Amino acid sequence: MRRLLIIFIFSIGLISSVLSQSAINYNNYLNNGRLLVIKGEYALGILSMDSALQASPGSLIINKDRGYAEMQLKKYNQAIEDFNKILNKNPNAIDVHLQRGIAYYHISKIDSAMYDIQKVLNDNLYHREAKDYMSYVESGKKLIEQQNRAQLKIEQDKIEQLRLEKTKEKEKIIRGAKNPLAFWYSVFETW
């Protein structure tokens, strides 16, 4: 009995140290990934976030951050996959609906984009970015109905350039913050 108790206590200690090391690795990889993204090193940030996901496979925060980085690299389908994971567990994540809607718009899935962006507007009728994207989506829908996909591509490229410029401005503000990771988190909560 005594031997069994010693083995049990040893096992708990071992499991506890493995779990705490996993949490440390998770935080290190996540923070490193965020810092890389802030610096504009999106591909390296994604690799670090992939490592964080290995340490904590169920983390929705990583999916959100990685989806953001994938958007910057115009990897919309991968971003949509990350956003879908979040929305499957939290269908009311309005900020994620907006990001997924933007990604859908840029791969010409106009009806899906309209659904997501309308969900944001239903939550906040005055959401500036959602209103802007809803007008882009409506314009895109008209162009598709007119069989004018070439013009839609021109509009998507122009809007993507504007989105990337705004993103660069936000990242510049984050880099200038005293505590960029805390600021980064607050930006994502209001993105």
Side-chain angles (χ1 to χ4, degrees):
M1 181 70 171
R2 184 175 178 201
R3 218 181 239 172
L4 196 57
L5 184 61
I6 291 171
I7 291 173
F8 178 73
I9 292 171
F10 179 75
S11 297
I12 293 208
L14 184 63
I15 290 171
S16 175
S17 68
V18 167
L19 290 177
S20 71
Q21 184 62 38
S22 179
I24 291 169
N25 287 342
Y26 164 79
N27 285 328
N28 287 340
Y29 287 129
L30 177 60
N31 291 337
N32 184 52
R34 285 178 169 175
L35 288 172
L36 288 166
V37 168
I38 290 169
K39 292 178 183 176
E41 297 177 26
Y42 304 113
L44 291 174
I46 289 170
L47 288 175
S48 188
M49 289 178 200
D50 289 344
S51 296
L53 269 175
Q54 288 177 351
S56 180
S59 175
L60 299 181
I61 293 169
I62 300 170
N63 290 113
K64 188 175 183 180
D65 292 353
R66 188 173 66 175
Y68 167 82
E70 290 162 341
M71 292 276 289
Q72 306 323 305
L73 294 174
K74 300 180 183 181
K75 294 182 176 185
Y76 301 114
N77 289 315
Q78 290 96 321
I80 290 168
E81 286 178 28
D82 277 327
F83 297 145
N84 284 342
K85 289 175 187 173
I86 297 165
L87 292 171
N88 285 339
K89 292 187 179 182
N90 182 5
N92 296 320
I94 297 302
D95 56 326
V96 178
H97 275 288
L98 177 63
Q99 293 303 310
R100 188 176 71 173
I102 291 169
Y104 277 137
Y105 170 78
H106 287 290
I107 61 170
S108 299
K109 290 190 175 183
I110 301 299
D111 290 334
S112 296
M114 189 171 279
Y115 168 81
D116 276 339
I117 294 169
Q118 187 59 55
K119 188 151 180 81
V120 175
L121 290 172
N122 288 345
D123 185 66
N124 179 356
L125 185 60
Y126 302 103
H127 193 289
R128 183 184 43 82
E129 192 173 12
K131 286 172 64 173
D132 289 346
Y133 264 93
M134 185 55 87
S135 69
Y136 303 150
V137 167
E138 289 170 346
S139 173
K141 188 169 180 114
K142 287 177 188 170
L143 289 171
I144 288 174
E145 289 169 357
Q146 297 168 356
Q147 300 295 315
N148 197 349
R149 289 195 180 269
Q151 182 62 33
L152 174 61
K153 180 68 177 139
I154 291 168
E155 276 193 25
Q156 285 173 325
D157 290 344
K158 181 178 77 176
I159 292 164
E160 176 62 4
Q161 188 60 38
L162 288 172
R163 187 185 72 76
L164 290 173
E165 287 171 11
K166 287 179 185 177
T167 298
K168 294 287 185 210
E169 289 174 20
K170 289 176 184 176
E171 289 172 358
K172 190 175 174 182
I173 292 169
I174 293 169
R175 279 192 301 273
K178 289 184 180 182
N179 185 350
L181 291 179
F183 189 76
W184 173 257
Y185 181 76
S186 68
V187 166
F188 267 124
E189 290 305 308
T190 60
W191 204 258

